[in-house]
Amino acid sequence: MEGGSGYNSVPSSTSSDKTRVLDVKPLRSLKPVFSNTPQGSPFVCAPPNGPFPPGFTPFYPFSVQQGSQASPDLNHQSPSSMQTPVGHMPAPLRAFRSSQPPEFQGAFNGDAGNDDGYSGGKKRAGPHLRGLNSYQKKKNKSALSVVSSKGAGTSFVVDISPLLRDDGNREVYNLVLMRFDAIRRRLSQIEDAKERSTGIRRADLKAGNILMSKGIRTNMRRRIGALPGLEIGDIFFFRLEMCVVGLHAQSMGGIDYMVLKDDMEEEPVALSIVSSEGYDDDAEDGNVLIYSGQGGNFGKKDKQASDQKLERGNLALERSFRRGNDIRVVRGIKDAVNPSSKIYVYDGLYKIQESWTESKSGCNIFKYKFVRLPGQPAAFSVWKSIQKWKEGFSSRAGLILPDLTSGAENTPVSLVNDVDEEKGPAYFTYFPTLKYSKSFNLAQPSFGCNCRNACQPGDPNCSCVTKNGGDFPYTTNGILVSRKPLIYECGPTCPCFPNCKNRVSQMPLKVHLEVFKTTDKGWGLRSWDPIRAGTFICEYAGEVIDKAKAKPGGEEGENDEFIFDTTRVYDSFKWNYEPGLLDEERSNDSDENYEIPSPLIISAKNVGNVARFMNHSCSPNVFWQPVLYEHNNQSFLHIAFFAIRHVPPMTELTFDYGVARTNEAEGNITPSRKKKCLCGSSNCRGYFV
């Protein structure tokens, strides 16, 4: 930097060039502030806690809310960090292994490797770990409400206080996971658009690194037992998801532990384990798990097996057996959609009841018997039951019909009532898509693409891709990347391949759904399969009606409880990724407000599909997205449903019904025909329409 070489050197010019990058060291004792007025001095130094001259505001990272903590001390170690076996002062990764965040110990830019074991050799950090030395500094900083994104001219909201980073709740837990997956989906979309992708594509590792570096995480305080915000049965599609919410800090290792100090002695204790068939784990019993220790190179073709050693994770399990402390258990299950991947299920708290050694390939291996604590909700056992239903080894209790659709869907939809004696819902005709009346005025004429092969992102000659801003709205595996004002899909008359990845909402059902009788809300809808965030579930099928018929007193509106109306008032929510987190300029993709060319009202009273059974919730796990595609030179608007977040099997699927509008001509929106809401959410508004 010109003009000096000291830590506190500043430009000598009288005007401040804010586009210029200054190579300066962090100020630990002074707080830099910039003028808000053109008459003010270009640069003023003030004490860290003020007072500040008029017209000046604190500059990041010192702009903490008053009362949130004392003056920032970057050398101060928080009580939470004192409980962990890692972290003192920042140090180079090669000098002190413990200085890197526990989430990334053993992680590298490649295959996640054996989930349960550790090869015993040193693991080298990949390119995505660059800059992790700053982690120890950043974790002691207070969160800001708004952080500027370097070089992007944008900002993103952090909105996670230091307190909630250490101890979360359900809302923050869901927020962190939604942000992780939003970034991961966007990174996957970027990779999909590349003609030739170099290296190993691991958008999950990149997304995890971004969230860690920005402090978007929760439950950082290491603890034994249950975590705030985490519920038994929660599912994860990536190991890094468990890291950012504090469930399991090891991105690869199967045993997570911390060091406790008792009477000046240090003793490791296990916090959580991940069992995913990496070793000879016996995981058939829903309440008992026989878990193998780590190390010994078992199952590694290129390395010779050896005795496992009583150290690190194995030692922590042995000490936890002696102490009798609770241990969080995560079960890994093969993903039926992608057999090379696993889905991780949090199965609750266990205790180690017994430990011993066995001989395998002439070497000793540690074994631990985990027993599930009684009184916890079912999780892994639910998966095992569903597996037996699918394989025909046991019948579904309360089954009325094995396929409600009578073959209209490729995947059967079962009808179940294990609550009372009712034999089914009122009669209706099952129809898998939308019925437009000939008299109904369709959207403006439109033309599809002229692609003769597969549509390609960024192709200026593909009209469907161009309408979506140049990108496919979905990833290669059919996951929605972002909510958009309107999605344009390739229609039935487009000459591109029928399996074009821009036809997601027109595909048949992919998940095994079940219509079931609820205890207090009539019939509902749930899935036998786990559903990943952004997965297409179904469209809202039925008959398109005009607005006059849908109004109270109209032909359809008086007694029709199966009406979907795009003109209702819906609570807004944030689902898309923040461009600032990826150093992107804010674009149209950031807009989550729908732009529907004409109102669409659908009645599923007499004709419809499974969507008619979805109940309302003020905290739904499903959202609707308008989709437009062309057929015979006419644009047809459809309503597609996608998962907001990961949905475990047998969890009811719900969406926000919204609130009906009245006095629209005067711009006055008031609730009408209120019905009591029974969703039970902490955010319940008490009614719906």
Side-chain angles (χ1 to χ4, degrees):
M1 163 178 160
E2 298 179 3
S5 58
Y7 274 51
N8 299 327
S9 299
V10 297
S12 58
S13 60
T14 57
S15 61
S16 177
D17 183 3
K18 296 184 179 180
T19 64
R20 182 183 177 190
V21 178
L22 303 179
D23 184 16
V24 297
K25 302 294 183 181
L27 300 178
R28 294 179 177 268
S29 59
L30 298 179
K31 178 182 297 187
V33 291
F34 291 103
S35 173
N36 289 336
T37 60
Q39 293 81 12
S41 302
F43 193 89
V44 173
C45 290
N49 292 323
F52 310 110
F56 289 87
T57 55
F59 181 68
Y60 175 75
F62 300 102
S63 53
V64 216
Q65 294 182 355
Q66 293 297 325
S68 62
Q69 73 174 51
S71 64
D73 182 2
L74 299 182
N75 299 318
H76 176 68
Q77 190 177 35
S78 66
S80 62
S81 64
M82 294 177 66
Q83 298 180 34
T84 68
V86 298
H88 295 292
M89 286 298 294
L93 290 175
R94 288 174 291 181
F96 296 100
R97 181 184 181 91
S98 63
S99 67
Q100 59 180 304
E103 298 83 355
F104 284 96
Q105 289 182 8
F108 59 96
N109 195 12
D111 186 9
N114 192 321
D115 292 322
D116 301 323
Y118 180 71
S119 65
K122 294 182 180 179
K123 297 185 183 294
R124 184 168 298 174
H128 74 284
L129 291 180
R130 293 173 184 169
L132 283 182
N133 291 334
S134 62
Y135 169 84
Q136 294 293 338
K137 299 176 183 178
K138 292 189 176 185
K139 76 174 187 177
N140 288 325
K141 294 180 182 178
S142 299
L144 296 176
S145 296
V146 177
V147 178
S148 296
S149 174
K150 181 179 68 176
T154 60
S155 62
F156 63 90
V157 181
V158 173
D159 60 25
I160 299 180
S161 68
L163 180 63
L164 290 176
R165 285 183 191 164
D166 284 344
D167 301 280
N169 55 40
R170 189 64 179 177
E171 184 177 358
V172 174
Y173 169 89
N174 284 330
L175 169 69
V176 171
L177 288 180
M178 286 176 63
R179 288 199 171 178
F180 171 91
D181 203 62
I183 295 173
R184 185 201 61 80
R185 294 191 306 268
R186 172 55 179 162
L187 292 172
S188 296
Q189 184 186 46
I190 294 173
E191 289 292 337
D192 292 343
K194 295 179 180 178
E195 293 185 4
R196 294 181 181 179
S197 179
T198 58
I200 299 176
R201 296 169 56 175
R202 290 298 302 272
D204 58 316
L205 293 181
K206 296 177 184 177
N209 190 26
I210 290 172
L211 261 65
M212 300 284 187
S213 63
K214 303 294 186 182
I216 304 176
R217 54 189 306 190
T218 189
N219 290 327
M220 290 178 62
R221 184 169 67 87
R222 312 271 277 162
R223 77 199 78 201
I224 296 172
L227 294 179
L230 178 68
E231 293 182 358
I232 295 174
D234 283 345
I235 61 175
F236 308 87
F237 285 83
F238 302 95
R239 294 285 297 256
L240 263 297
E241 291 179 306
M242 295 187 283
C243 293
V244 296
V245 297
L247 170 56
H248 188 81
Q250 302 295 321
S251 63
M252 289 182 61
I255 306 172
D256 187 19
Y257 63 94
M258 65 182 291
V259 176
L260 295 181
K261 291 185 178 181
D262 292 333
D263 299 328
M264 304 302 293
E265 293 184 1
E266 294 186 350
E267 182 178 58
V269 293
L271 304 179
S272 60
I273 64 167
V274 175
S275 172
S276 54
E277 304 170 352
Y279 285 54
D280 294 335
D281 296 340
D282 183 359
E284 289 302 312
D285 194 317
N287 294 312
V288 176
L289 170 66
I290 307 301
Y291 185 80
S292 303
Q294 63 180 191
N297 297 328
F298 293 100
K300 296 184 180 296
K301 297 179 180 180
D302 57 338
K303 295 186 178 181
Q304 184 177 359
S306 60
D307 289 340
Q308 290 186 345
K309 298 180 180 180
L310 192 62
E311 60 183 13
R312 294 175 302 176
N314 295 334
L315 180 60
L317 290 179
E318 187 66 27
R319 293 294 184 264
S320 291
F321 169 51
R322 305 294 180 191
R323 296 174 67 99
N325 64 275
D326 298 343
I327 300 175
R328 300 186 294 272
V329 170
V330 179
R331 305 259 197 164
I333 301 172
K334 185 175 293 185
D335 188 351
V337 177
N338 186 6
S340 62
S341 301
K342 292 184 177 68
I343 302 173
Y344 301 95
V345 186
Y346 174 53
D347 200 32
L349 300 177
Y350 283 65
K351 288 183 183 292
I352 301 177
Q353 191 178 81
E354 188 179 355
S355 70
W356 66 95
T357 58
E358 290 183 2
S359 178
K360 180 181 179 181
S361 302
C363 301
N364 290 329
I365 183 172
F366 293 107
K367 290 285 187 176
Y368 304 91
K369 181 180 180 180
F370 283 76
V371 178
R372 196 168 190 259
L373 300 186
Q376 300 181 92
F380 179 71
S381 59
V382 172
W383 290 67
K384 303 303 292 185
S385 297
I386 294 174
Q387 183 179 357
K388 293 178 180 179
W389 300 341
K390 289 183 176 181
E391 295 173 353
F393 292 124
S394 65
S395 59
R396 175 76 172 97
L399 182 66
I400 299 174
L401 287 174
D403 186 12
L404 176 69
T405 75
S406 300
E409 301 283 6
N410 291 356
T411 303
V413 178
S414 53
L415 178 66
V416 173
N417 183 359
D418 53 7
V419 175
D420 53 34
E421 301 300 320
E422 189 175 356
K423 295 303 181 182
Y427 176 81
F428 74 103
T429 300
Y430 194 96
F431 195 74
T433 188
L434 204 56
K435 277 190 167 184
Y436 273 92
S437 170
K438 291 183 179 179
S439 61
F440 186 77
N441 292 325
L442 302 178
Q444 67 274 13
S446 178
F447 298 93
C449 69
N450 293 315
C451 303
R452 297 296 172 180
N453 297 311
C455 298
Q456 298 294 332
D459 183 0
N461 297 319
C462 178
S463 59
C464 296
V465 170
T466 302
K467 292 174 184 176
N468 286 310
D471 287 320
F472 281 118
Y474 310 104
T475 63
T476 301
N477 56 356
I479 300 297
L480 182 66
V481 176
S482 299
R483 295 170 67 208
K484 299 173 74 72
L486 186 63
I487 287 178
Y488 297 88
E489 287 191 348
C490 295
T493 55
C494 289
C496 57
F497 291 161
N499 61 348
C500 173
K501 62 180 180 179
N502 195 32
R503 300 175 186 255
V504 169
S505 73
Q506 301 164 60
M507 296 294 104
L509 295 181
K510 299 292 187 183
V511 294
H512 191 135
L513 298 172
E514 173 183 283
V515 175
F516 72 105
K517 184 66 181 295
T518 69
T519 56
D520 56 358
K521 294 178 292 185
W523 297 92
L525 185 68
R526 60 191 176 194
S527 171
W528 287 15
D529 300 322
I531 301 176
R532 180 183 292 192
T535 297
F536 169 68
I537 298 172
C538 64
E539 75 165 292
Y540 198 97
E543 299 174 294
V544 177
I545 62 176
D546 59 40
K547 194 170 184 179
K549 292 183 179 181
K551 287 183 177 181
E555 183 179 331
E556 302 286 348
E558 191 65 36
N559 299 311
D560 192 348
E561 297 182 350
F562 300 96
I563 284 184
F564 182 92
D565 186 354
T566 60
T567 65
R568 296 191 184 204
V569 181
Y570 296 91
D571 286 345
S572 61
F573 67 96
K574 177 69 177 175
W575 193 71
N576 293 358
Y577 75 98
E578 277 288 349
L581 290 174
L582 297 177
D583 288 340
E584 292 183 2
E585 294 286 352
R586 188 169 297 276
S587 64
N588 293 334
D589 242 12
S590 308
D591 187 4
E592 300 187 43
N593 296 316
Y594 296 146
E595 295 178 2
I596 301 175
S598 59
L600 180 64
I601 303 175
I602 306 168
S603 172
K605 180 179 181 180
N606 301 316
V607 177
N609 67 346
V610 292
R612 72 195 297 273
F613 295 106
M614 265 197 285
N615 285 314
H616 164 82
S617 176
C618 299
S619 297
N621 50 23
V622 173
F623 68 88
W624 62 274
Q625 165 71 51
V627 177
L628 199 70
Y629 53 85
E630 178 270 340
H631 184 53
N632 293 330
N633 297 333
Q634 288 269 269
S635 296
F636 290 82
L637 185 64
H638 293 255
I639 301 300
F641 287 104
F642 296 88
I644 292 178
R645 52 185 176 270
H646 302 332
V647 183
M650 307 306 287
T651 301
E652 184 176 6
L653 301 174
T654 58
F655 74 99
D656 180 11
Y657 282 9
V659 179
R661 296 175 182 263
T662 59
N663 300 330
E664 293 177 298
E666 301 175 7
N668 184 22
I669 302 174
T670 59
S672 65
R673 297 183 296 161
K674 292 183 180 180
K675 297 178 182 178
K676 183 179 180 181
C677 181
L678 302 174
C679 72
S681 164
S682 59
N683 298 323
C684 182
R685 56 179 176 251
Y687 68 92
F688 70 94
V689 179

